[in-house]
Structure formats: structure tokens, C-alpha cells
Amino acid sequence: MQIRDLPYSDPGDPDVRSGPRFLHWLGRNQLGGQLKALAWGLLHQLGIAGLPVTVGLAVQAVVDRSGGRLALAGGLIVVLGVLIALGDTMLHRTAVTNWITAAARVQQLLARKTAELGSALTRRVAAGEVVAVSTGDVEKIGWFVEALSRFAAAATALVVICVGLVLYLPSLGLLVALAMPVLALAVLPLLPPATRRADEQREKAGKATELASDTVAGLRVLRGIGGEELFLGRYRRASQEVRRAAVRSARMWALISAVQVLLPGVLLISLVWYGATLAQDGRIGVGQLVTVYSAATLMLFPLRHFEEIAMAYSFSRPSAQRAVRVLSLRRSDREATVEGVVPAGDLYDPVTGLMAPRGQFTAVVCGDPDEAGRLAERLGGHAEPVEEAGAETAGAEGAAGGAALPEDAARTPSVLLGAVALDELPLDAARAAVLVQDKDPVLLSGTLRELLDVPSSGLVTADAALEAAQCGDVLSALAQASPDNDGDPMRTRITERGRSLSGGQRQRLALARSLVADPEALVLDEPTSAVDSHTEARVAAGIAKLRRGRTTVALASSPLLLDAADRVVLVHGGAVVAVGDHRDLLRTEPRYRAVVTRETDEEAAVANAVDDAVEVPAMKSIQEIEERA
């Protein structure tokens, strides 16, 4: 796999049982690139290892006054220099390719999981953690994959050099061969505490990133309530904890580096002292001493790769674990039983008993906003894979261990569209069948034309959707800000998350985007909560007109929107308790009236008493009604 071939057509099915298994899966999927890097690394390392031999030959040739052997040694040095340069260049090229392709594979897996889970992702994993995984953690994972082949080449080169030195000059070669394992493994006792400190640093950094992300997302609210300094103080304390943890981690890695400088220094001093003694006694030649000393000195370079691979693994293992925690999350769907078919029919939720007849505009009123949010998620197939009672526990266990939920876990009953359960549909078919617009929809950066360029039936134009969503003022504002003053609002760029627009304008543009998609069933969660009453009435009429003949469900409590619906359903205590039209329910259902008119408990009690008084002629006065209430 080359960088020019990215992205992957299929990033594969990762092993998400643990972080180390995920790293092993990544390395196995890059076996070709790893072998190439290993081959180039061996060429580079063995070329370096050959230099001491040629230098020793050159020194001995000078001592023996042999011009022919000196010329031969010079020619070998030139050849080795070319091989070293070629090996180093190609090793860097293949290693970086391994790094980038591994990181790209992980990012594609994360993007695929994000698209699969939709809004359920940030309810099960903190948004700051998702950002940390897709940025810093991906880089650390790629680093380990890239360093692996270079470490393998260095370890192989060390073995070859040690064997060669033993065969070349046993008296000094044995000393080097026995010392090398000690030098390579001396830092192992220091790695566990270093890893723990590094994990602590990354954990604190992740919390600080999450705090910063949440603060930026709620900055407008914080300014409104004067809470900026409070959250800034929290971030300052969190960042100082990260700094202290980073210093403690750096001290341990500095100690490891110091050990890897001290011990090789001791080896070289011992080698020079013992070798000089042997040369003085005439047991070895000067060229042989130079050869062994040069080889031992150059062996310190591949030894550095042992420290690097230890650091790379200690940093990438928790990063891989966090990636696994996200990648192990699962939708509540089973294998598709209906391939390539978008069903049609009534939309039915067996949990609450809600029925939204096909082709009608159904409004749903819930006294509890959280209950309305859960209902909207369930209607779109975004429900948790376990029942609500156990969802929190399961989510905590998943966050702690990163493991997928068991197959036999209790499932929330699936929503039905016609006779087909949504969780039995392929993901693409389910999304084409039912589209949910969240209470707080997100606008991506780009032009208005790009915003409205979404998968759709092609039956609803952008102009019709914008008109139904009452986006005239938005178009006027964008036309004034259009590039080159050509007045085309469709070419005007919208900033990230639509921050240059008001809340009502963002909400109406998101509604227009949903209307353009024209799904079989459209679920809107409080689609007009941020607009004024006059605009809300026109939006309600526009939705009813544009979606005529299509299934539409709006979860709302606004009388203007409820009055435009074909039928209204009251959900109370997790179940449907009343069905009718808006005006009839206002007269006959006290619980509905309390939600829609925002009655207090005292007002509701008086209203109930008044209703009872109509049927009890004996109650003549207002005082009697109030006493009964």
C-alpha cells in the first residue's frame, strides 16, 4: 500500500479485543510494508556494521605499508557509503509510508464507526475522547507501527555483528557479545514505572482536552451566565496537572536515556583497556583492535532502537486501547435480512405504543424532554443496545474495558416501519428510510450549496426546502456576504457549526437540509424551538405542505406546530395515553393541556375543578369550586 493509493477501499475488520491485539492486527495488515522496511533497514545497519572492518583493513594496511590493500579498503568504504545512503533513504521512505498508511487505516475505521453510530457515539464516549483518539492517539499508533520494522532490523543487525565479532576475534568478540544483551535489557525494570507515568500524563491530558472542548462548545452560554472565569480556572488547574505529570514522565525517560549512555560507556572503556593490553602483549594486531572498537561503537546506534520501541509501545498501547474502546461500540442492528430495500408503511414504536400513520403529519407531546429525546433516537434506530435500566451500567463497563456488549444482552424492541424492523435493515437502507433531526443539529463548514447537497430522493429541490423552512432572511444575509458580490447565497461559505448565524437561522437551515433529503419518514425533535412565533407558524405550514403524503413525526410542545399536524399523540410515563387533534386534546386531556399551556399545578387543579363543576349543578359559586380544588 502506497500513500498515493489512500484511502483504503476497505480498511478491514479490526481486532478490538484489546489494545495489543489491535496493534498486532495493524502490523499484520501491513506485512508487505514491514518486510520492505526490514530489508532496507538491514541493508542500512549491516552497511554501517561493515565500516569497522574496512577501517581496520585500512589501518592495518598503513601499518604494513601495503598500498594495494589500502586502495581495496578505500574502495570498500565507498561502496559501503553508497549502500548506507541507499538503505537509509529507502528505510525512511518505507517507514514513513507504514506510519501514514497505518494512521490512515485507523482514521478510516474511526470515521466508519462514527457514521455507523451517529449521535449515539458521543452519548457513549465523551466528545473530547473521540477528538483525542482521532488526532494524537492515531499519530502514536502510527509511530509504533513505523518503529517496529526499524527495531527488527536493528535487533537482527546486532545479532549478526555479535556473531561476526566472535568469529573474527573471539578474545574481544565474546566480551561484546556478552555485554550486548545486558545493554539492551538493562532498561526493562524501568519501563513499567515509566509506562505508568506516561499513562497518567495521557489520562490527564485527555481530561484537559475534554474540558477545553466542552468549554469552547458552551462558550456562548458561559458568557451569558458569567461562568467564563470559573471554567478557565478549571482548565488552568487541569493544564498544570498535565504539566506536572509530563515532568514526572520526562524524568523517568531521562533516567532510561542516561542508563543507555552510561552502560555503553562502561563497555567501551573496558573494551579499550582490555584490547590495549592484548595488543601490547602482541596477541592481537592494532587493526583488529580498531575493528572491534569501531564495531562496538557503531553498535550503540542500533541499541537506540530498543529505547525507541519501548517508548513507542508504552505510548501507543493506551492509545490503541482508547481506539479499541470506540471501535468496539456496536449498533443495535443484526445482520440484514432485507437487502437493498427501503420499506414503507406506518412507523411504530413498540416501547411507547406510538403509531405514526404513513403519509400523515404526526405531532408527539412529551412532558419530559429527556423522554422525547430517547423516543426520537429510538425512532431513528439510534437506541442503546440494552434496555434503559441497564444502559448506564453497560456503558460504564464498555468505557472501562473497551469490550463490545455481549450478544445475549437484553435488547430494546426495534421500531417498525411497515412490517420491517429498522435494526434488521442495512445501515444505508435504515438511514434512507428514517431520518432524525436532533434538537441541536450540526452545520458543517462549506457553502450553502454544499450543505444542501445530501443524499436524497431528488423530488424536493433546495429552493422548495428553503422556502418551506422560511430561510428568506438567511438567504438575504448570505447574499450580502457572497464572494465577489455576485449576490448568490448558495456560494457563500458557512463557518464551522454555523457560528456566524443565529440559533434560529441554524435551526431552519438544518430543517431545510432534512427536507431536501426527503426520507420515507422524517423525525424532527423540537424543529422550531429557536424561532419566533410568527416564523414558527409559517414553518409549521411549510412542513405540512411540503411533506404532504410523506410520514412526518415532530416532537414538540408548541401550539402553533401542534395545530398544523394531522394528529397529535400524548406520551406520558413512557407510554401513549391520548390521541386526537390539538384542539380536542386541549379540551379533554388535562395532562396534555398542562404541557402545552405550561400550567402550574395550582392552575391545573382549578381547571380540573371547573371541568367537574360543569357536570355538578349543585356547585353554584366560584368559592365552592376553589374550596374543592
Side-chain angles (χ1 to χ4, degrees):
M1 185 69 180
Q2 298 297 322
I3 297 176
R4 62 175 176 269
D5 299 325
L6 294 174
Y8 290 95
S9 57
D10 179 11
D13 186 16
D15 187 343
V16 294
R17 289 176 290 178
S18 67
R21 289 179 182 271
F22 179 65
L23 292 174
H24 179 262
W25 176 84
L26 275 178
R28 192 174 68 246
N29 277 270
Q30 290 192 315
L31 187 58
Q34 295 291 338
L35 292 177
K36 288 181 182 178
L38 176 60
W40 291 117
L42 284 175
L43 178 63
H44 178 233
Q45 298 285 352
L46 294 178
I48 294 176
L51 286 176
V53 178
T54 56
V55 171
L57 290 175
V59 171
Q60 195 64 43
V62 172
V63 172
D64 296 340
R65 298 181 180 278
S66 174
R69 281 187 292 157
L70 182 61
L72 175 62
L76 289 175
I77 290 176
V78 172
V79 172
L80 288 175
V82 172
L83 293 178
I84 291 171
L86 176 63
D88 193 20
T89 301
M90 297 306 298
L91 171 62
H92 178 75
R93 180 185 179 90
T94 53
V96 171
T97 298
N98 289 337
W99 184 337
I100 294 177
T101 52
R105 186 187 296 272
V106 178
Q107 286 180 325
Q108 280 189 246
L109 290 171
L110 292 170
R112 184 174 69 181
K113 182 59 64 176
T114 302
E116 177 185 338
L117 293 175
S119 61
L121 175 62
T122 52
R123 293 193 303 274
R124 301 173 69 180
V125 179
E129 184 170 353
V130 176
V131 173
V133 170
S134 60
T135 53
D137 287 334
V138 166
E139 182 178 353
K140 293 181 179 67
I141 292 171
W143 175 30
F144 173 74
V145 173
E146 177 262 344
L148 190 60
S149 56
R150 289 191 289 109
F151 164 73
T156 305
L158 282 177
V159 173
V160 172
I161 294 171
C162 288
V163 172
L165 288 178
V166 171
L167 296 177
Y168 175 70
L169 191 62
S171 55
L172 292 180
L174 283 174
L175 175 62
V176 176
L178 293 175
M180 280 302 149
V182 177
L183 297 182
L185 303 177
V187 298
L188 286 183
L190 300 176
L191 287 180
T195 302
R196 285 195 297 270
R197 293 189 182 188
D199 289 346
E200 179 184 356
Q201 175 196 350
R202 282 186 292 273
E203 181 181 356
K204 292 183 180 296
K207 291 180 179 179
T209 301
E210 181 179 343
L211 179 61
S213 176
D214 293 342
T215 303
V216 172
L219 190 58
R220 180 175 296 180
V221 177
L222 291 175
R223 285 175 175 170
I225 63 176
E228 289 178 276
E229 287 302 323
L230 173 63
F231 273 79
L232 285 175
R234 290 181 180 177
Y235 183 74
R236 290 190 189 100
R237 290 192 294 272
S239 64
Q240 288 302 311
E241 290 181 5
V242 174
R243 182 188 61 80
R244 287 190 289 269
V247 170
R248 293 184 69 247
S249 178
R251 285 173 179 167
M252 184 57 68
W253 288 110
L255 177 59
I256 292 175
S257 297
V259 169
Q260 290 204 324
V261 171
L262 175 64
L263 294 182
V266 172
L267 170 63
L268 292 179
I269 293 173
S270 302
L271 186 63
V272 170
W273 175 80
Y274 182 56
T277 302
L278 294 178
Q280 187 176 9
D281 295 341
R283 297 164 61 182
I284 63 173
V286 176
Q288 291 176 313
L289 175 59
V290 171
T291 298
V292 176
Y293 175 78
S294 301
T297 303
L298 291 176
M299 288 173 72
L300 302 184
F301 174 70
L303 270 177
R304 287 292 180 181
H305 291 284
F306 284 77
E307 178 188 359
E308 182 188 10
I309 196 65
M311 292 183 64
Y313 180 72
S314 66
F315 278 89
S316 65
R317 182 183 54 80
S319 295
Q321 189 61 50
R322 281 195 291 268
V324 162
R325 189 180 306 164
V326 176
L327 296 175
S328 63
L329 300 176
R330 294 286 183 267
R331 274 186 80 233
S332 59
D333 58 336
R334 297 180 291 272
E335 291 298 323
T337 58
V338 181
E339 292 291 342
V341 176
V342 178
D346 299 338
L347 187 63
Y348 174 67
D349 175 32
V351 176
T352 59
L354 170 67
M355 171 70 77
R358 182 184 183 186
Q360 293 191 23
F361 184 7
T362 302
V364 181
V365 175
C366 296
D368 182 4
D370 293 334
E371 183 179 22
R374 290 192 296 270
L375 176 58
E377 294 157 9
R378 200 161 52 246
L379 290 175
H382 292 296
E384 299 290 340
V386 295
E387 292 183 354
E388 297 296 337
E392 184 176 352
T393 302
E397 292 175 353
L405 292 164
E407 293 294 333
D408 57 351
R411 293 180 179 273
T412 302
S414 174
V415 168
L416 301 176
L417 183 60
V420 179
L422 282 184
D423 65 2
E424 294 181 350
L425 287 172
L427 183 61
D428 293 343
R431 295 294 176 264
V434 181
L435 174 65
V436 178
Q437 178 176 305
D438 295 333
K439 185 179 300 183
D440 185 20
V442 175
L443 300 183
L444 302 178
S445 59
T447 65
L448 180 57
R449 180 175 287 106
E450 292 170 342
L451 175 70
L452 300 179
D453 184 14
V454 295
S456 64
S457 66
L459 300 178
V460 177
T461 65
D463 291 339
L466 291 168
E467 182 181 357
Q470 299 300 308
C471 295
D473 62 322
V474 185
L475 295 177
S476 299
L478 293 177
Q480 294 178 3
S482 63
D484 304 326
N485 296 321
D486 61 357
D488 184 4
M490 303 299 288
R491 294 181 54 197
T492 305
R493 292 192 65 82
I494 298 173
T495 57
E496 183 183 1
R497 300 181 69 90
R499 289 193 171 95
S500 59
L501 305 172
S502 68
Q505 289 173 329
R506 288 196 301 269
Q507 193 174 57
R508 282 176 284 153
L509 282 181
L511 175 60
R513 179 179 59 188
S514 299
L515 294 174
V516 167
D518 191 34
E520 177 65 28
L522 176 61
V523 179
L524 305 171
D525 189 3
E526 293 289 355
T528 57
S529 59
V531 301
D532 59 80
S533 58
H534 297 288
T535 304
E536 185 177 26
R538 294 194 297 269
V539 170
I543 295 174
K545 179 181 178 181
L546 191 63
R547 292 285 299 173
R548 184 174 293 120
R550 293 293 230 177
T551 306
T552 307
V553 179
L555 292 96
S557 58
S558 168
L560 294 172
L561 189 61
L562 297 173
D563 197 38
D566 297 323
R567 62 199 302 268
V568 180
V569 179
L570 174 63
V571 176
H572 183 77
V576 173
V577 295
V579 180
D581 63 42
H582 170 60
R583 299 177 187 275
D584 288 341
L585 290 176
L586 275 178
R587 291 193 302 268
T588 61
E589 180 52 63
R591 289 171 294 188
Y592 179 82
R593 184 170 58 242
V595 175
V596 174
T597 63
R598 278 74 169 178
E599 286 182 338
T600 63
D601 293 339
E602 294 181 357
E603 291 171 340
V606 172
N608 290 336
V610 172
D611 291 341
D612 293 342
V614 174
E615 300 177 0
V616 183
M619 300 181 67
K620 301 294 185 182
S621 66
I622 296 297
Q623 290 81 1
E624 291 174 334
I625 295 175
E626 291 178 346
E627 289 173 0
R628 176 166 180 173

